[in-house]
Amino acid sequence: DRLRSRRVELLLFALLWLTYGYFYQTAQHNEAARFDQLRSLLEEHTLAIDTFAYNTADVIEYVKDGQKHIYPAKAPGTTFLAAAPFWLSMQLLRPFNRSPALYWHLVAYFTIILTTGLLSALSAVVMYRALADLTHDRQSALLAVIALWLGSISFPFSTLFFSHQQVASLLVGLGQ
């Protein structure tokens, strides 16, 4: 029974992660601000996005000692969470750098599936396990999790580089 349960969890994870990974939505201002901050952090070692501010309107200006800096109007948690996957994607996808547009889309895509998509799929498995243990009804737990993670706003948010779904996913994990 334990092996069967683990197989269901693995299949659930694969179904959700592959489904989230199937979709790629180009970055709008919200995501662009976060990606800009990732580039600034990794390339310039600062949270300010002065160099990349042209790329998004979702910013704030901060002046200190007469010097203006531009920051994303976002909490930096998503930036910190994505720093390693973003860096890894940048390194592994270097051969595509001859086409900058393709390169940055691929880096963004892999960063999203390695952060938001991965967290969502893992959290869904945690939720399935908790529901199955509480109800002793694995089939209903599986249907409930699939309905929630594919049939609600969690689904499109699992394909975006927003903090909303990452926070929701972490809350599921913390609730256990």
Side-chain angles (χ1 to χ4, degrees):
D1 190 46
R2 198 92 161 125
L3 180 62
R4 184 171 168 247
S5 177
R6 294 296 180 243
R7 192 175 318 139
V8 169
E9 291 171 1
L10 183 61
L11 289 171
L12 175 63
F13 171 80
L15 167 73
L16 293 174
W17 199 33
L18 291 171
T19 301
Y20 300 150
Y22 179 79
F23 296 92
Y24 172 64
Q25 303 173 48
T26 61
Q28 299 299 319
H29 291 291
N30 190 324
E31 296 107 319
R34 297 170 194 281
F35 284 122
D36 295 340
Q37 191 167 48
L38 278 164
R39 283 190 71 188
S40 289
L41 181 65
L42 295 172
E43 295 175 12
E44 300 173 351
H45 310 290
T46 180
L47 292 175
I49 62 168
D50 300 338
T51 305
F52 307 106
Y54 66 88
N55 197 32
T56 182
D58 207 351
V59 298
I60 59 168
E61 293 181 5
Y62 180 73
V63 179
K64 183 176 181 181
D65 299 327
Q67 189 165 1
K68 180 177 86 169
H69 291 287
I70 300 173
Y71 295 89
K74 305 290 170 203
T78 299
T79 299
F80 299 143
L81 177 71
F86 188 80
W87 180 86
L88 182 65
S89 298
M90 286 173 55
Q91 304 313 308
L92 294 175
L93 296 167
R94 285 235 185 265
F96 296 97
N97 203 7
R98 286 181 224 115
S99 172
L102 175 62
Y103 173 74
W104 287 114
H105 278 288
L106 288 172
V107 168
Y109 169 74
F110 282 107
T111 301
I112 293 167
I113 63 173
L114 290 172
T115 55
T116 312
L118 182 62
L119 269 175
S120 290
L122 288 171
S123 294
V125 171
V126 169
M127 182 178 278
Y128 163 75
R129 188 178 288 175
L131 287 173
D133 288 348
L134 284 170
T135 65
H136 304 290
D137 183 351
R138 297 197 181 286
Q139 186 175 7
S140 294
L142 182 63
L143 291 173
V145 167
I146 289 173
L148 176 65
W149 294 87
L150 289 178
S152 74
I153 197 70
S154 291
F155 179 23
F157 276 16
S158 294
T159 68
L160 296 166
F161 197 53
F162 288 178
S163 61
H164 305 66
Q165 190 61 29
Q166 293 169 11
V167 170
S169 296
L170 292 172
L171 285 172
V172 167
L174 291 174
Q176 300 311 308

